[in-house]
Amino acid sequence: MRGLAVRAFALAFGLGAGLAAAQTDPADPSLGVVTASAILTLDQSRLFAESAYGKAVTARAADAESALAAENRRIETGLEQEERDLTERRKTTTAAEFALLADAFDTKVEAIRTAQDAKSRDIAQRRDEEQRRFVQVAGPVLGALMTEFGASVIIDKTVLILSLNAIDITAEAIVRLDAVLGDGSTAPAPQTPQQPAPDAPAPPVTPPTAP
């Protein structure tokens, strides 16, 4: 674990080498807008939470959980009344008869608890499946951004100590994912890689500056 921490620390403070090779927009270098960088950063939590798809998933899960909680309260109220009625019947039934009634009630309560727990797990499972779908769609989008920036790695911002905002691609990634995935109500739009025209010259490759 110490070795991983040391490498993460070294990577964070070694960003200078990657940023030294970054190219800024010549139209206004003072803005520090990076057009090429070997290292990019991404806020993964924000990427999901602020995307149209992530917002829709979160809203659906919240609605489902709220509905289940309301259902649980209604069931609990009904069971409490049934328990009170069972307690009253104890006065007019034999011990053996009451034991059978009590066992039947306990079995019913346990079955209801099992069913409601299954509903809760189903909500969590659907949310996990939707998040996995998001990750699958996000992969090619992030890959395209890496290609455009000439980057070799995307690092989660949460592991960084210091970085330039100009290399953060979170906002652009959200825009592109919204265009591809939307809120998830329809199938993702097909992604067709952009190919240069047959007669177009290959773009120049700028070698990275030595640190």
Side-chain angles (χ1 to χ4, degrees), residues 53 57 61 64-65 117-133:
Y53 182 84
V57 169
E65 289 170 350
D117 286 345
K119 292 179 182 179
S120 180
R121 289 193 300 271
D122 183 62
I123 293 172
Q125 182 178 348
R126 287 201 305 270
R127 182 173 56 234
D128 290 344
E129 290 173 351
E130 290 175 319
Q131 288 177 335
R132 284 194 292 271
R133 181 190 180 197

Side-chain angles (χ1 to χ4, degrees), residues 6 16 34 38 74 87 135 161 173 179 192:
V6 170
V34 173
R74 290 194 299 271
T87 301
V135 171
I161 297 174
T192 303

Side-chain angles (χ1 to χ4, degrees), residues 37-52:
S37 176
I39 298 173
L40 300 173
T41 63
L42 178 73
D43 187 331
Q44 295 187 76
S45 297
R46 180 186 164 201
L47 180 67
F48 181 78
E50 295 187 11
S51 67

Side-chain angles (χ1 to χ4, degrees), residues 92-123:
T92 59
T93 58
T94 65
E97 291 174 334
F98 181 79
L100 291 176
L101 292 173
D103 287 344
F105 178 74
D106 289 343
T107 299
K108 177 180 179 179
V109 170
E110 187 61 32
I112 291 174
R113 181 182 296 113
T114 299
Q116 297 306 103
D117 286 345
K119 292 179 182 179
S120 180
R121 289 193 300 271
D122 183 62
I123 293 172

